[in-house]
Amino acid sequence: MRTQLHLLLLAAVAAAVDLWPTHQRIAPSFVNTDVVRTVELSSQAYVKASYSIESQSDVDNDVFYLTLSEEEENVTGWIEAKAKGATGGLEVKRLGQHAESLAYLYAIKLAKPLPKGESLTLLVDSVQSHATYPKPAFATQHDSHFRVYEADGIVLSPYETTSQRLRVKAPTPNVRSYHIPSALEALAKDEPAVKSGATVTFGPFKSQPPTATKDFDHKPYRVSIDFEMNIPALTVVSLKRTAEVSHWGANLNIQDEYVVRNDAPELKGQFSRLDFQMSQHARRMSPVIIPALSLQLPSGAHSVYYFDIVGNVSTSAFRPAPKAAGRAARLGPQNAQLDLKPRYPLMGGWNYTFTVGWDAPLGDSGRWDEVNGRWILAVPFLTPLPATPIDQADVRIILPEGATDITVHPPFDVALMERSTHITYLDTIGRPAFDFHAQKLTEKHDGFIYITYKVPTAAHLQKPLAVTVASLIIFSVMWTLKRVDMTIKK
Amino acid sequence: MESYSQIQELYARLPPFAPIIPTSLLPYIALFLCSAAFLLGFYFTTLPRTLFSIREVFVALVASVLAGFGVVALFNYFGVYV
């Protein structure tokens, strides 16, 4: 009876004070005086938005809410924010879908509450993957590569927007067309859309009330731009990284299993090897073809291996990091470069699956904490490929046998973390392994996963002990056999 | 448990990992220990066939311990970093 009363009271309190921002109306504590969104198109879309805001109240003025439409949310893989003129980033927290307006809400925590009447400019950078699509969807191996980018012409915001502009910068000045709907043209202050070189500017637009509401439909205000692409559009469909730590060998082995796909228009007709060889020779290869990849490996990497399902692939070149001396050493370690050439050139829509791995000294990634008697290991989440989205990544870190008191610190919130036991050579009880699963990653997600662990000395000696016991067993078998009479007696 | 930035800052100022046995010595340790274990094993097979002999047990033990460390060093030398 008493617990029921308590639960009833709790429910009443929760209903009365709706605490979660996705289930309450956003307070109009700011006004966007000027919003400029600049989209730089490459094989990913880099959106740099500048929100000039003015505070309207002295309460609820420490968090700025950013809303994304469903189309934007599906493609956005990375958001970071900072205040103009200030150093250091601001915390951006993903809150989820707003119950009323169905827009996706992000909370940007300001460095300090903004008093009424004061202004601030927030710079919000985001990376959109798979935000463009090829048009036409099919092309031969000689054709050019054209893509279409669509965006919301009017920014979705829970605050009133006095003035806003959208600038889209294509990778080449060859912009075939751009489209602005008539509903949006009516909102423009003077010229609705202007093309200058490779940049198309939509706007500036007149003052808008808050658009992240239930009644506002953003779809009639979507703009699009049809442009020529001269950069290879590679996607990593899945990446499976395994990092294995060895204390006896002082080594960190990292192995990456990639499934990559060329996102250029799908190949129409047959692949002609003859035409391909001729175009390579004449150096006039269409940008829809990807003949090679380049990976930047850490400076201490050695013993690199590259194989796929058929076997070892010999068309690769590994250039170890040069020995740095003097000023170069102070600038930081140089990257080693691995140039990979798949067995076949990747035409539009083609996939390739391969495995790359290397060894590096553990001294480059592991640190010894004397105070707490533990080691700290830093493993990069992925090797960034320029402007390449990674749809699915699994990182597995395998610690030495007998590791205890393990703490893990991933660089960003991952979808799933698993702990398992991995058994490999000379193992008895198995090694602790941690799996991190994440989706929709970009090259900005290359932060380090920090893992701290302790290994008692007895655990270090487990391996030699296992071999010792095995050889003792062999000796005792030999001892027994020496005393068994196996001669054939009459 | 520390936050991410705390660990990051701690990592930046700690000394790097250093193994107890330097890795450059591992090939020589592997060669020495494995050959010693092999010779002792050979000697074990030449011992007389008495019912119980403390010498046999002692030789087997020493050979096994040497083989244990020798094989671990051998694995590391060949690139199988155990």
Side-chain angles (χ1 to χ4, degrees), chain A residues 218-275:
Chain A
H218 62 273
K219 289 198 190 21
Y221 301 101
R222 278 180 79 76
V223 299
S224 71
I225 166 172
D226 189 336
F227 60 98
E228 181 172 5
M229 176 84 143
N230 61 350
I231 305 164
L234 187 76
T235 300
V236 176
V237 174
S238 83
L239 164 65
K240 191 162 166 25
R241 170 167 278 210
T242 310
E244 193 169 317
V245 179
S246 161
H247 275 199
W248 276 105
N251 184 69
L252 178 69
N253 171 274
I254 296 186
Q255 179 169 300
D256 285 340
E257 288 159 44
Y258 284 94
V259 178
V260 297
R261 184 185 65 219
N262 185 355
D263 267 342
E266 278 190 45
L267 184 68
K268 182 165 64 178
Q270 302 278 15
F271 166 56
S272 163
R273 173 65 72 171
L274 181 65
D275 286 347

Side-chain angles (χ1 to χ4, degrees), chain A residues 75-89:
Chain A
V75 295
T76 302
W78 175 264
I79 297 188
E80 56 182 350
K82 66 179 202 253
K84 190 167 183 179
T87 53

Side-chain angles (χ1 to χ4, degrees), chain A residues 169-183:
Chain A
K169 190 166 177 294
T172 62
N174 186 10
V175 172
R176 267 201 309 211
S177 68
Y178 50 91
H179 167 71
I180 177 167
S182 45

Side-chain angles (χ1 to χ4, degrees), chain A residues 246 248-249 251 359 363-368 374-375 378 409-411 425 448 450 468 471-472 475 478-479 482-483, chain B residues 2 4 7-8 10-11 14-17 19 21 23 44-45 47 49-51 56 63-64 68-69 76 80-82:
Chain A
S246 161
W248 276 105
N251 184 69
D359 291 322
D364 291 346
S365 316
R367 300 280 182 265
W368 168 242
R374 61 182 181 173
W375 280 279
H409 306 265
Y425 304 104
F448 287 102
Y450 291 102
T468 303
S471 48
L472 272 176
F475 276 119
M478 278 166 58
W479 184 92
K482 241 199 319 194
R483 284 151 180 77
Chain B
E2 298 105 325
Y4 187 80
I7 285 276
Q8 197 171 29
L10 181 66
Y11 178 87
L14 287 176
F17 173 88
I21 303 171
T23 46
F44 179 85
T45 59
L47 289 173
R49 206 195 304 184
T50 59
L51 195 59
E56 270 185 330
S64 300
F69 286 93
N76 283 313
V80 181
Y81 293 100
V82 288

Side-chain angles (χ1 to χ4, degrees), chain A residues 80-155:
Chain A
E80 56 182 350
K82 66 179 202 253
K84 190 167 183 179
T87 53
L90 300 173
E91 187 196 326
V92 179
K93 195 162 164 203
R94 185 180 186 278
L95 298 177
Q97 200 170 17
H98 193 255
E100 218 191 299
S101 63
L102 299 183
Y104 289 84
L105 209 59
Y106 287 80
I108 300 176
K109 195 159 167 50
L110 302 177
K112 54 183 199 297
L114 199 64
K116 183 168 175 178
E118 280 204 18
S119 307
L120 182 67
T121 303
L122 288 175
L123 301 170
V124 180
D125 290 348
S126 57
V127 181
Q128 297 180 342
S129 320
H130 307 297
T132 58
Y133 59 87
K135 185 179 175 184
F138 293 86
T140 68
Q141 66 190 79
H142 308 288
D143 288 346
S144 308
H145 183 178
F146 286 93
R147 294 186 89 89
V148 174
Y149 175 71
E150 289 176 4
D152 289 327
I154 294 280
V155 69

Side-chain angles (χ1 to χ4, degrees), chain A residues 193-487:
Chain A
V194 170
K195 172 181 178 299
S196 137
T199 309
V200 178
T201 306
F202 298 97
F205 297 109
K206 298 180 201 155
S207 180
Q208 295 295 313
T211 46
T213 56
K214 190 167 61 169
D215 309 314
F216 181 74
D217 184 15
H218 62 273
K219 289 198 190 21
Y221 301 101
R222 278 180 79 76
V223 299
S224 71
I225 166 172
D226 189 336
F227 60 98
E228 181 172 5
M229 176 84 143
N230 61 350
I231 305 164
L234 187 76
T235 300
V236 176
V237 174
S238 83
L239 164 65
K240 191 162 166 25
R241 170 167 278 210
T242 310
E244 193 169 317
V245 179
S246 161
H247 275 199
W248 276 105
N251 184 69
L252 178 69
N253 171 274
I254 296 186
Q255 179 169 300
D256 285 340
E257 288 159 44
Y258 284 94
V259 178
V260 297
R261 184 185 65 219
N262 185 355
D263 267 342
E266 278 190 45
L267 184 68
K268 182 165 64 178
Q270 302 278 15
F271 166 56
S272 163
R273 173 65 72 171
L274 181 65
D275 286 347
F276 173 68
Q277 300 276 52
M278 285 190 343
S279 69
Q280 259 196 322
H281 189 70
R283 297 219 169 99
R284 263 185 300 108
M285 192 147 51
S286 167
V288 301
I289 305 175
I290 298 178
L293 297 170
S294 200
L295 290 176
Q296 303 288 328
L297 303 184
S299 53
H302 63 91
S303 310
V304 178
Y305 51 92
Y306 166 41
F307 60 87
D308 63 13
I309 194 168
V310 178
N312 178 55
V313 188
S314 53
T315 49
S316 60
F318 177 60
R319 291 199 283 271
K323 281 257 179 261
R327 187 166 174 273
R330 280 200 295 277
L331 287 172
Q334 298 262 326
N335 280 339
Q337 184 145 331
L338 177 65
D339 298 318
L340 304 172
K341 221 161 125 171
R343 281 184 197 281
Y344 45 86
L346 291 174
M347 297 287 141
W350 285 14
N351 304 313
Y352 184 58
T353 308
F354 62 97
T355 305
V356 184
W358 64 89
D359 291 322
L362 190 54
D364 291 346
S365 316
R367 300 280 182 265
W368 168 242
D369 184 358
E370 182 78 50
V371 171
N372 300 331
R374 61 182 181 173
W375 280 279
I376 305 183
L377 179 73
V379 177
F381 204 92
L382 44 88
T383 300
L385 287 160
T388 305
I390 298 178
D391 293 344
Q392 164 92 25
D394 300 321
V395 179
R396 191 152 205 238
I397 302 187
I398 302 168
L399 300 174
E401 208 175 13
T404 53
D405 297 331
I406 305 168
T407 67
V408 297
H409 306 265
F412 46 81
D413 284 331
V414 290
L416 179 66
M417 280 200 281
E418 287 178 301
R419 193 215 189 279
S420 55
T421 305
H422 178 80
I423 300 182
T424 181
Y425 304 104
L426 300 187
D427 279 346
T428 43
I429 56 168
R431 302 175 193 223
F434 285 86
D435 287 90
F436 301 87
H437 301 268
Q439 277 116 20
K440 245 180 10 170
L441 304 178
T442 64
E443 76 269 17
K444 298 222 180 225
H445 286 88
D446 65 341
F448 287 102
I449 303 174
Y450 291 102
I451 294 195
T452 72
Y453 59 95
K454 293 185 188 178
V455 183
T457 321
H460 275 129
L461 294 174
Q462 245 175 324
K463 282 197 184 13
L465 188 69
V467 183
T468 303
V469 167
S471 48
L472 272 176
I473 290 171
I474 297 175
F475 276 119
S476 41
V477 166
M478 278 166 58
W479 184 92
T480 321
L481 284 177
K482 241 199 319 194
R483 284 151 180 77
V484 167
D485 187 12
M486 290 208 286
T487 58

